[in-house]
Structure formats: C-alpha cells, structure tokens
C-alpha cells in the first residue's frame, strides 16, 4: 500500500466515525423528543446503565417474595439484534416513528447494496447481496 492510500483510508475512517456520531446524536435526540424509547430500556442510553435496572427491580422482587408471590425476572440482551434485522422492515419501522423524506433516504441509501462474504483461514467466499444485518467495517 502506498502512503497516499493509507492516508486516504485513515481519512475515510475518521470521516465515517464523525458522521456516525453526528447521525447517532440526531437520531437519539429525535427518539427522546418523541418519547419513543421505553423508560425501562437500559444499556446504550445515557443515564440508563444496566445496573440501574437491577437497583430498580430489587425492591419489586423483595416485595413479591415478602407477599409470597411468584417472582420472576426476564432479562434480554438485544446488543446483536441489528445483525439480523431485515432492512425493509427496519426502514418501515423508522417511517412509522416519523423518519421521512431525506432522513429516511439516507438510512435507505446506507443499507442499500450491502454485500457480505465469509472468510475462513485463507479462503473467501464470493460476495453475496444481503438485505439483513448491518454493514461491516
């Protein structure tokens, strides 16, 4: 690789990270302003650490046990959910929650023409179009 190629790749990665942070902030602000996120959704949210879920739940569990009630907790980890999401369903959901016009087109453009391949040891599969999951990189 030439020095210019390395510099261009580094610039691309930096620009991509900055753009993703800007989009994340705007999208998160949009979700908060419309009260779309559940109050009991923890993780990946400022001020909503996972340990807060346990702190909030502990008194409810204690009360249930004290009242001789059947007490059960279900904890789901959706950290990898975007790896399996269908792009068209995701775009329809964004539209349902009010993302329209140019903003929706940007999400659509980002997800269009996704390709994937599998690499094992030194063997790579051919590129295949993918309408599920997130872009790598």
């Amino acid at each position: 690789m030439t020095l210019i190629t390395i510099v261009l790749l580094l610039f691309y990665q930096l620009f991509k990270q900055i753009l993703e942070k800007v989009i994340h902030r705007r999208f998160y602000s949009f979700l908060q302003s419309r009260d779309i996120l559940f109050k009991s959704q923890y993780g990946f949210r400022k001020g909503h650490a996972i340990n807060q879920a346990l702190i909030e739940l502990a008194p409810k569990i204690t009360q249930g046990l004290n009242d001789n009630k059947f007490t059960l907790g279900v904890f789901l980890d959706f950290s990898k959910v975007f790896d399996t999401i269908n792009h068209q369903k995701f775009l329809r959901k964004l539209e349902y929650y009010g993302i329209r016009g140019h903003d929706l087109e940007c999400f659509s453009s980002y997800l269009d023409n996704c390709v994937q391949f599998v690499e094992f040891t030194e063997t790579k599969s051919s590129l295949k179009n993918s309408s599920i999951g997130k872009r790598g990189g």
Side-chain angles (χ1 to χ4, degrees), residues 16-72:
K16 180 182 167 200
Q17 289 176 352
I18 292 170
L19 186 60
E20 285 176 355
K21 285 185 185 213
V22 168
I23 290 170
H24 174 267
R25 285 188 183 136
R26 288 192 63 203
F27 186 58
Y28 187 71
S29 175
F30 174 86
L31 294 174
Q32 283 187 308
S33 70
R34 286 163 177 73
D35 204 26
I36 292 172
L37 300 173
F38 291 102
K39 303 277 187 270
S40 60
Q41 180 180 341
Y42 295 91
F44 303 107
R45 293 179 65 192
K46 194 174 190 173
H48 288 79
I50 292 174
N51 59 344
Q52 282 184 286
L54 296 174
I55 292 168
E56 185 179 307
L57 206 56
K60 295 176 183 179
I61 292 171
T62 304
Q63 185 64 46
L65 293 173
N66 289 340
D67 295 343
N68 291 321
K69 292 184 177 178
F70 182 73
T71 306
L72 174 72

Short mmCIF file of all heavy atoms in Angstrom, two decimals, residues 16-72:
data_model
loop_
_atom_site.label_atom_id
_atom_site.label_comp_id
_atom_site.label_asym_id
_atom_site.label_seq_id
_atom_site.Cartn_x
_atom_site.Cartn_y
_atom_site.Cartn_z
N LYS A 16 -15.97 8.77 8.57
CA LYS A 16 -17.06 7.84 8.83
C LYS A 16 -17.45 7.86 10.31
O LYS A 16 -18.63 7.91 10.65
CB LYS A 16 -16.65 6.43 8.40
CG LYS A 16 -17.70 5.38 8.62
CD LYS A 16 -17.18 4.01 8.21
CE LYS A 16 -18.09 2.94 8.73
NZ LYS A 16 -17.49 1.65 8.81
N GLN A 17 -16.46 7.84 11.20
CA GLN A 17 -16.74 7.86 12.63
C GLN A 17 -17.41 9.16 13.05
O GLN A 17 -18.35 9.14 13.85
CB GLN A 17 -15.46 7.64 13.43
CG GLN A 17 -14.92 6.23 13.34
CD GLN A 17 -13.59 6.06 14.05
OE1 GLN A 17 -12.98 7.02 14.50
NE2 GLN A 17 -13.13 4.82 14.15
N ILE A 18 -16.95 10.28 12.53
CA ILE A 18 -17.55 11.57 12.87
C ILE A 18 -18.99 11.61 12.37
O ILE A 18 -19.91 12.01 13.10
CB ILE A 18 -16.73 12.73 12.27
CG1 ILE A 18 -15.38 12.83 12.98
CG2 ILE A 18 -17.49 14.05 12.36
CD1 ILE A 18 -14.39 13.77 12.32
N LEU A 19 -19.22 11.18 11.14
CA LEU A 19 -20.56 11.19 10.57
C LEU A 19 -21.50 10.28 11.36
O LEU A 19 -22.64 10.64 11.65
CB LEU A 19 -20.52 10.76 9.10
CG LEU A 19 -21.83 10.85 8.33
CD1 LEU A 19 -22.34 12.29 8.31
CD2 LEU A 19 -21.64 10.35 6.91
N GLU A 20 -21.03 9.09 11.74
CA GLU A 20 -21.86 8.17 12.52
C GLU A 20 -22.23 8.77 13.87
O GLU A 20 -23.35 8.63 14.34
CB GLU A 20 -21.15 6.83 12.70
CG GLU A 20 -21.17 5.98 11.45
CD GLU A 20 -20.39 4.68 11.59
OE1 GLU A 20 -19.74 4.46 12.65
OE2 GLU A 20 -20.43 3.89 10.65
N LYS A 21 -21.30 9.50 14.51
CA LYS A 21 -21.60 10.13 15.80
C LYS A 21 -22.63 11.24 15.64
O LYS A 21 -23.53 11.38 16.47
CB LYS A 21 -20.32 10.68 16.44
CG LYS A 21 -19.46 9.59 17.02
CD LYS A 21 -18.27 10.14 17.76
CE LYS A 21 -17.42 8.96 18.20
NZ LYS A 21 -16.76 9.15 19.42
N VAL A 22 -22.52 12.01 14.58
CA VAL A 22 -23.49 13.09 14.32
C VAL A 22 -24.88 12.48 14.09
O VAL A 22 -25.88 12.94 14.66
CB VAL A 22 -23.05 13.96 13.12
CG1 VAL A 22 -24.18 14.88 12.66
CG2 VAL A 22 -21.81 14.75 13.46
N ILE A 23 -24.94 11.45 13.26
CA ILE A 23 -26.23 10.80 12.98
C ILE A 23 -26.79 10.17 14.25
O ILE A 23 -27.99 10.30 14.53
CB ILE A 23 -26.07 9.75 11.86
CG1 ILE A 23 -25.81 10.45 10.53
CG2 ILE A 23 -27.31 8.87 11.76
CD1 ILE A 23 -25.39 9.54 9.41
N HIS A 24 -25.95 9.53 15.04
CA HIS A 24 -26.40 8.92 16.30
C HIS A 24 -27.01 9.98 17.22
O HIS A 24 -28.09 9.78 17.78
CB HIS A 24 -25.24 8.22 17.00
CG HIS A 24 -25.60 7.70 18.35
ND1 HIS A 24 -25.39 8.43 19.49
CD2 HIS A 24 -26.19 6.54 18.74
CE1 HIS A 24 -25.83 7.74 20.54
NE2 HIS A 24 -26.31 6.59 20.11
N ARG A 25 -26.33 11.10 17.38
CA ARG A 25 -26.84 12.16 18.27
C ARG A 25 -28.18 12.70 17.79
O ARG A 25 -29.10 12.90 18.58
CB ARG A 25 -25.82 13.29 18.39
CG ARG A 25 -24.65 12.93 19.26
CD ARG A 25 -23.75 14.11 19.53
NE ARG A 25 -22.62 13.67 20.31
CZ ARG A 25 -21.38 14.03 20.08
NH1 ARG A 25 -21.10 14.86 19.09
NH2 ARG A 25 -20.40 13.59 20.83
N ARG A 26 -28.28 12.95 16.49
CA ARG A 26 -29.54 13.47 15.95
C ARG A 26 -30.67 12.46 16.08
O ARG A 26 -31.79 12.80 16.45
CB ARG A 26 -29.37 13.86 14.48
CG ARG A 26 -28.53 15.12 14.31
CD ARG A 26 -28.59 15.66 12.91
NE ARG A 26 -29.95 16.06 12.60
CZ ARG A 26 -30.41 16.16 11.36
NH1 ARG A 26 -29.63 15.90 10.35
NH2 ARG A 26 -31.65 16.53 11.14
N PHE A 27 -30.38 11.20 15.78
CA PHE A 27 -31.39 10.15 15.85
C PHE A 27 -31.83 9.92 17.29
O PHE A 27 -33.02 9.82 17.59
CB PHE A 27 -30.84 8.87 15.22
CG PHE A 27 -31.84 7.76 15.09
CD1 PHE A 27 -33.02 7.95 14.38
CD2 PHE A 27 -31.62 6.53 15.68
CE1 PHE A 27 -33.95 6.93 14.25
CE2 PHE A 27 -32.54 5.50 15.55
CZ PHE A 27 -33.71 5.71 14.84
N TYR A 28 -30.87 9.86 18.21
CA TYR A 28 -31.18 9.66 19.62
C TYR A 28 -32.01 10.82 20.15
O TYR A 28 -32.98 10.63 20.88
CB TYR A 28 -29.90 9.48 20.42
CG TYR A 28 -30.13 9.11 21.85
CD1 TYR A 28 -30.59 7.84 22.19
CD2 TYR A 28 -29.89 10.02 22.88
CE1 TYR A 28 -30.82 7.49 23.51
CE2 TYR A 28 -30.11 9.66 24.19
CZ TYR A 28 -30.57 8.41 24.50
OH TYR A 28 -30.80 8.06 25.81
N SER A 29 -31.64 12.03 19.77
CA SER A 29 -32.40 13.22 20.17
C SER A 29 -33.83 13.15 19.64
O SER A 29 -34.80 13.49 20.34
CB SER A 29 -31.70 14.48 19.65
OG SER A 29 -32.46 15.61 19.93
N PHE A 30 -33.99 12.70 18.40
CA PHE A 30 -35.32 12.53 17.80
C PHE A 30 -36.14 11.53 18.61
O PHE A 30 -37.30 11.78 18.93
CB PHE A 30 -35.17 12.05 16.35
CG PHE A 30 -36.46 11.71 15.67
CD1 PHE A 30 -37.20 12.70 15.06
CD2 PHE A 30 -36.93 10.40 15.66
CE1 PHE A 30 -38.40 12.39 14.44
CE2 PHE A 30 -38.13 10.09 15.06
CZ PHE A 30 -38.87 11.08 14.44
N LEU A 31 -35.55 10.39 18.94
CA LEU A 31 -36.26 9.36 19.71
C LEU A 31 -36.66 9.87 21.09
O LEU A 31 -37.78 9.62 21.55
CB LEU A 31 -35.39 8.11 19.85
CG LEU A 31 -35.08 7.34 18.58
CD1 LEU A 31 -34.09 6.22 18.86
CD2 LEU A 31 -36.34 6.81 17.93
N GLN A 32 -35.77 10.61 21.74
CA GLN A 32 -36.08 11.15 23.05
C GLN A 32 -37.17 12.22 22.98
O GLN A 32 -38.06 12.25 23.82
CB GLN A 32 -34.83 11.75 23.70
CG GLN A 32 -33.88 10.72 24.26
CD GLN A 32 -32.76 11.37 25.01
OE1 GLN A 32 -32.09 12.27 24.51
NE2 GLN A 32 -32.54 10.92 26.24
N SER A 33 -37.09 13.08 21.99
CA SER A 33 -38.06 14.18 21.89
C SER A 33 -39.48 13.68 21.65
O SER A 33 -40.45 14.36 21.98
CB SER A 33 -37.65 15.16 20.80
OG SER A 33 -37.81 14.57 19.52
N ARG A 34 -39.61 12.51 21.08
CA ARG A 34 -40.93 11.94 20.81
C ARG A 34 -41.31 10.83 21.80
O ARG A 34 -42.28 10.14 21.63
CB ARG A 34 -41.01 11.43 19.39
CG ARG A 34 -41.11 12.60 18.42
CD ARG A 34 -40.78 12.23 17.01
NE ARG A 34 -40.95 13.34 16.10
CZ ARG A 34 -40.15 14.38 16.00
NH1 ARG A 34 -39.11 14.50 16.81
NH2 ARG A 34 -40.35 15.33 15.12
N ASP A 35 -40.48 10.69 22.84
CA ASP A 35 -40.73 9.72 23.91
C ASP A 35 -40.97 8.31 23.35
O ASP A 35 -41.90 7.61 23.76
CB ASP A 35 -41.92 10.17 24.76
CG ASP A 35 -41.89 9.58 26.15
OD1 ASP A 35 -40.80 9.25 26.63
OD2 ASP A 35 -42.97 9.42 26.75
N ILE A 36 -40.13 7.91 22.40
CA ILE A 36 -40.28 6.61 21.74
C ILE A 36 -39.61 5.49 22.53
O ILE A 36 -40.10 4.37 22.56
CB ILE A 36 -39.72 6.68 20.30
CG1 ILE A 36 -40.61 7.60 19.45
CG2 ILE A 36 -39.61 5.30 19.67
CD1 ILE A 36 -40.07 7.91 18.08
N LEU A 37 -38.51 5.81 23.20
CA LEU A 37 -37.79 4.78 23.95
C LEU A 37 -38.51 4.48 25.26
O LEU A 37 -39.01 5.38 25.93
CB LEU A 37 -36.36 5.24 24.25
CG LEU A 37 -35.50 5.54 23.02
CD1 LEU A 37 -34.17 6.13 23.43
CD2 LEU A 37 -35.29 4.27 22.21
N PHE A 38 -38.56 3.21 25.62
CA PHE A 38 -39.19 2.79 26.87
C PHE A 38 -38.36 3.27 28.06
O PHE A 38 -37.14 3.23 28.02
CB PHE A 38 -39.34 1.27 26.92
CG PHE A 38 -40.34 0.73 25.94
CD1 PHE A 38 -39.92 0.13 24.77
CD2 PHE A 38 -41.69 0.83 26.20
CE1 PHE A 38 -40.83 -0.37 23.87
CE2 PHE A 38 -42.62 0.33 25.31
CZ PHE A 38 -42.19 -0.26 24.14
N LYS A 39 -39.02 3.66 29.10
CA LYS A 39 -38.33 4.10 30.32
C LYS A 39 -37.50 2.97 30.92
O LYS A 39 -36.47 3.21 31.53
CB LYS A 39 -39.35 4.59 31.36
CG LYS A 39 -40.26 5.69 30.88
CD LYS A 39 -39.60 7.04 31.00
CE LYS A 39 -40.57 8.16 30.68
NZ LYS A 39 -40.59 8.53 29.29
N SER A 40 -37.96 1.74 30.74
CA SER A 40 -37.26 0.59 31.33
C SER A 40 -36.25 -0.04 30.39
O SER A 40 -35.79 -1.15 30.62
CB SER A 40 -38.28 -0.46 31.77
OG SER A 40 -39.04 -0.89 30.66
N GLN A 41 -35.87 0.67 29.33
CA GLN A 41 -34.83 0.17 28.43
C GLN A 41 -33.48 0.66 28.93
O GLN A 41 -33.24 1.86 29.01
CB GLN A 41 -35.08 0.67 27.01
CG GLN A 41 -34.02 0.19 26.04
CD GLN A 41 -34.28 0.69 24.62
OE1 GLN A 41 -35.38 1.08 24.29
NE2 GLN A 41 -33.26 0.67 23.81
N TYR A 42 -32.62 -0.27 29.27
CA TYR A 42 -31.32 0.07 29.83
C TYR A 42 -30.22 -0.35 28.88
O TYR A 42 -30.39 -1.19 28.03
CB TYR A 42 -31.14 -0.62 31.19
CG TYR A 42 -32.12 -0.12 32.22
CD1 TYR A 42 -33.35 -0.75 32.38
CD2 TYR A 42 -31.84 0.99 32.98
CE1 TYR A 42 -34.26 -0.28 33.31
CE2 TYR A 42 -32.74 1.46 33.91
CZ TYR A 42 -33.95 0.82 34.07
OH TYR A 42 -34.85 1.28 34.98
N GLY A 43 -29.07 0.23 29.07
CA GLY A 43 -27.94 -0.05 28.20
C GLY A 43 -28.02 0.79 26.94
O GLY A 43 -29.10 1.12 26.46
N PHE A 44 -26.90 1.22 26.45
CA PHE A 44 -26.80 2.02 25.22
C PHE A 44 -27.52 3.36 25.34
O PHE A 44 -27.83 3.99 24.33
CB PHE A 44 -27.33 1.26 23.99
CG PHE A 44 -26.64 -0.05 23.77
CD1 PHE A 44 -27.28 -1.23 24.03
CD2 PHE A 44 -25.34 -0.08 23.32
CE1 PHE A 44 -26.65 -2.44 23.85
CE2 PHE A 44 -24.69 -1.28 23.13
CZ PHE A 44 -25.34 -2.47 23.39
N ARG A 45 -27.85 3.77 26.55
CA ARG A 45 -28.53 5.05 26.75
C ARG A 45 -27.83 5.80 27.87
O ARG A 45 -27.54 5.23 28.92
CB ARG A 45 -29.99 4.84 27.13
CG ARG A 45 -30.81 4.25 26.02
CD ARG A 45 -32.24 4.04 26.45
NE ARG A 45 -32.87 5.33 26.71
CZ ARG A 45 -34.04 5.43 27.33
NH1 ARG A 45 -34.68 4.35 27.73
NH2 ARG A 45 -34.58 6.61 27.52
N LYS A 46 -27.62 7.07 27.66
CA LYS A 46 -27.01 7.91 28.67
C LYS A 46 -27.93 7.96 29.89
O LYS A 46 -29.12 8.21 29.77
CB LYS A 46 -26.78 9.31 28.10
CG LYS A 46 -25.88 10.17 28.92
CD LYS A 46 -25.62 11.47 28.20
CE LYS A 46 -24.52 12.24 28.90
NZ LYS A 46 -24.13 13.42 28.15
N GLY A 47 -27.36 7.70 31.07
CA GLY A 47 -28.14 7.76 32.30
C GLY A 47 -29.02 6.53 32.54
O GLY A 47 -29.87 6.55 33.42
N HIS A 48 -28.83 5.48 31.75
CA HIS A 48 -29.62 4.25 31.91
C HIS A 48 -28.71 3.03 31.90
O HIS A 48 -28.80 2.17 31.04
CB HIS A 48 -30.66 4.12 30.78
CG HIS A 48 -31.78 5.08 30.88
ND1 HIS A 48 -31.68 6.39 30.50
CD2 HIS A 48 -33.03 4.91 31.34
CE1 HIS A 48 -32.83 7.00 30.71
NE2 HIS A 48 -33.67 6.12 31.23
N ALA A 49 -27.80 2.98 32.88
CA ALA A 49 -26.88 1.86 32.96
C ALA A 49 -27.63 0.59 33.35
O ALA A 49 -28.68 0.64 34.00
CB ALA A 49 -25.79 2.16 33.98
N ILE A 50 -27.09 -0.53 32.96
CA ILE A 50 -27.74 -1.82 33.22
C ILE A 50 -27.89 -2.08 34.72
O ILE A 50 -28.89 -2.63 35.16
CB ILE A 50 -26.97 -2.95 32.51
CG1 ILE A 50 -27.13 -2.79 31.00
CG2 ILE A 50 -27.44 -4.31 32.97
CD1 ILE A 50 -26.33 -3.74 30.17
N ASN A 51 -26.91 -1.64 35.51
CA ASN A 51 -27.02 -1.86 36.96
C ASN A 51 -28.21 -1.10 37.55
O ASN A 51 -28.74 -1.48 38.59
CB ASN A 51 -25.72 -1.53 37.68
CG ASN A 51 -25.28 -0.10 37.49
OD1 ASN A 51 -25.76 0.60 36.61
ND2 ASN A 51 -24.35 0.34 38.32
N GLN A 52 -28.65 -0.02 36.89
CA GLN A 52 -29.85 0.69 37.35
C GLN A 52 -31.09 -0.20 37.25
O GLN A 52 -32.00 -0.08 38.06
CB GLN A 52 -30.07 1.96 36.53
CG GLN A 52 -29.18 3.10 36.93
CD GLN A 52 -29.53 4.35 36.15
OE1 GLN A 52 -29.22 4.43 34.97
NE2 GLN A 52 -30.19 5.27 36.81
N ALA A 53 -31.13 -1.06 36.26
CA ALA A 53 -32.26 -1.98 36.12
C ALA A 53 -32.35 -2.87 37.34
O ALA A 53 -33.45 -3.10 37.87
CB ALA A 53 -32.12 -2.81 34.85
N LEU A 54 -31.22 -3.35 37.81
CA LEU A 54 -31.21 -4.21 38.99
C LEU A 54 -31.60 -3.43 40.24
O LEU A 54 -32.34 -3.93 41.10
CB LEU A 54 -29.84 -4.86 39.17
CG LEU A 54 -29.41 -5.80 38.05
CD1 LEU A 54 -27.99 -6.27 38.26
CD2 LEU A 54 -30.36 -6.97 37.96
N ILE A 55 -31.12 -2.21 40.36
CA ILE A 55 -31.46 -1.37 41.50
C ILE A 55 -32.97 -1.08 41.52
O ILE A 55 -33.60 -1.10 42.57
CB ILE A 55 -30.65 -0.05 41.47
CG1 ILE A 55 -29.17 -0.35 41.73
CG2 ILE A 55 -31.19 0.96 42.47
CD1 ILE A 55 -28.24 0.82 41.45
N GLU A 56 -33.54 -0.84 40.35
CA GLU A 56 -34.98 -0.58 40.25
C GLU A 56 -35.80 -1.84 40.51
O GLU A 56 -36.89 -1.78 41.08
CB GLU A 56 -35.30 -0.04 38.85
CG GLU A 56 -36.73 0.38 38.66
CD GLU A 56 -36.96 0.92 37.26
OE1 GLU A 56 -36.22 1.83 36.85
OE2 GLU A 56 -37.87 0.41 36.58
N LEU A 57 -35.27 -2.97 40.12
CA LEU A 57 -36.01 -4.22 40.22
C LEU A 57 -35.93 -4.86 41.61
O LEU A 57 -36.87 -5.54 42.04
CB LEU A 57 -35.47 -5.20 39.18
CG LEU A 57 -36.40 -6.28 38.69
CD1 LEU A 57 -37.67 -5.69 38.13
CD2 LEU A 57 -35.70 -7.13 37.66
N ALA A 58 -34.83 -4.66 42.33
CA ALA A 58 -34.62 -5.32 43.63
C ALA A 58 -35.77 -5.11 44.61
O ALA A 58 -36.25 -6.08 45.21
CB ALA A 58 -33.29 -4.87 44.23
N PRO A 59 -36.27 -3.88 44.81
CA PRO A 59 -37.39 -3.71 45.75
C PRO A 59 -38.66 -4.44 45.30
O PRO A 59 -39.41 -4.96 46.12
CB PRO A 59 -37.62 -2.20 45.78
CG PRO A 59 -36.41 -1.58 45.20
CD PRO A 59 -35.78 -2.60 44.31
N LYS A 60 -38.89 -4.50 44.00
CA LYS A 60 -40.07 -5.21 43.48
C LYS A 60 -39.96 -6.71 43.75
O LYS A 60 -40.95 -7.36 44.10
CB LYS A 60 -40.25 -4.93 41.99
CG LYS A 60 -40.56 -3.48 41.68
CD LYS A 60 -40.64 -3.23 40.20
CE LYS A 60 -40.88 -1.74 39.95
NZ LYS A 60 -40.96 -1.43 38.54
N ILE A 61 -38.77 -7.25 43.58
CA ILE A 61 -38.54 -8.68 43.85
C ILE A 61 -38.72 -8.95 45.34
O ILE A 61 -39.40 -9.90 45.73
CB ILE A 61 -37.14 -9.11 43.37
CG1 ILE A 61 -37.07 -9.06 41.84
CG2 ILE A 61 -36.78 -10.50 43.89
CD1 ILE A 61 -35.69 -9.26 41.27
N THR A 62 -38.13 -8.10 46.16
CA THR A 62 -38.25 -8.25 47.61
C THR A 62 -39.70 -8.20 48.05
O THR A 62 -40.16 -9.03 48.84
CB THR A 62 -37.43 -7.16 48.33
OG1 THR A 62 -36.08 -7.22 47.89
CG2 THR A 62 -37.50 -7.32 49.83
N GLN A 63 -40.45 -7.23 47.52
CA GLN A 63 -41.87 -7.10 47.88
C GLN A 63 -42.65 -8.34 47.44
O GLN A 63 -43.48 -8.85 48.19
CB GLN A 63 -42.47 -5.85 47.23
CG GLN A 63 -43.90 -5.57 47.64
CD GLN A 63 -44.01 -5.27 49.12
OE1 GLN A 63 -43.23 -4.50 49.66
NE2 GLN A 63 -44.98 -5.89 49.79
N GLY A 64 -42.38 -8.83 46.27
CA GLY A 64 -43.05 -10.04 45.78
C GLY A 64 -42.77 -11.24 46.67
O GLY A 64 -43.68 -12.01 47.00
N LEU A 65 -41.53 -11.40 47.08
CA LEU A 65 -41.17 -12.51 47.96
C LEU A 65 -41.82 -12.35 49.34
O LEU A 65 -42.29 -13.32 49.92
CB LEU A 65 -39.65 -12.62 48.09
CG LEU A 65 -38.90 -13.02 46.81
CD1 LEU A 65 -37.40 -12.92 47.02
CD2 LEU A 65 -39.29 -14.43 46.38
N ASN A 66 -41.82 -11.11 49.84
CA ASN A 66 -42.46 -10.85 51.13
C ASN A 66 -43.96 -11.14 51.10
O ASN A 66 -44.55 -11.54 52.10
CB ASN A 66 -42.23 -9.41 51.58
CG ASN A 66 -40.78 -9.16 52.00
OD1 ASN A 66 -40.05 -10.10 52.32
ND2 ASN A 66 -40.38 -7.91 51.99
N ASP A 67 -44.57 -10.93 49.95
CA ASP A 67 -46.02 -11.18 49.78
C ASP A 67 -46.31 -12.61 49.36
O ASP A 67 -47.44 -12.92 48.98
CB ASP A 67 -46.61 -10.20 48.76
CG ASP A 67 -46.55 -8.76 49.22
OD1 ASP A 67 -46.37 -8.52 50.43
OD2 ASP A 67 -46.68 -7.85 48.35
N ASN A 68 -45.27 -13.46 49.38
CA ASN A 68 -45.41 -14.86 48.96
C ASN A 68 -45.93 -14.99 47.53
O ASN A 68 -46.70 -15.90 47.23
CB ASN A 68 -46.29 -15.66 49.93
CG ASN A 68 -45.62 -15.84 51.26
OD1 ASN A 68 -44.41 -16.06 51.33
ND2 ASN A 68 -46.39 -15.73 52.32
N LYS A 69 -45.51 -14.09 46.68
CA LYS A 69 -45.91 -14.13 45.27
C LYS A 69 -44.80 -14.79 44.47
O LYS A 69 -43.62 -14.74 44.84
CB LYS A 69 -46.19 -12.73 44.74
CG LYS A 69 -47.41 -12.08 45.34
CD LYS A 69 -47.66 -10.74 44.70
CE LYS A 69 -48.93 -10.13 45.26
NZ LYS A 69 -49.17 -8.80 44.68
N PHE A 70 -45.21 -15.40 43.38
CA PHE A 70 -44.24 -15.98 42.45
C PHE A 70 -43.50 -14.82 41.79
O PHE A 70 -44.11 -13.90 41.23
CB PHE A 70 -44.98 -16.82 41.40
CG PHE A 70 -44.07 -17.50 40.43
CD1 PHE A 70 -43.30 -18.59 40.81
CD2 PHE A 70 -43.97 -17.05 39.12
CE1 PHE A 70 -42.45 -19.21 39.92
CE2 PHE A 70 -43.11 -17.67 38.23
CZ PHE A 70 -42.36 -18.75 38.63
N THR A 71 -42.19 -14.81 41.87
CA THR A 71 -41.39 -13.70 41.37
C THR A 71 -40.44 -14.20 40.29
O THR A 71 -39.75 -15.19 40.47
CB THR A 71 -40.58 -13.06 42.51
OG1 THR A 71 -41.48 -12.70 43.56
CG2 THR A 71 -39.85 -11.83 42.05
N LEU A 72 -40.45 -13.52 39.16
CA LEU A 72 -39.66 -13.94 38.01
C LEU A 72 -39.07 -12.72 37.32
O LEU A 72 -39.74 -11.68 37.20
CB LEU A 72 -40.56 -14.71 37.02
CG LEU A 72 -39.96 -15.13 35.70
CD1 LEU A 72 -38.96 -16.26 35.90
CD2 LEU A 72 -41.07 -15.58 34.76
#
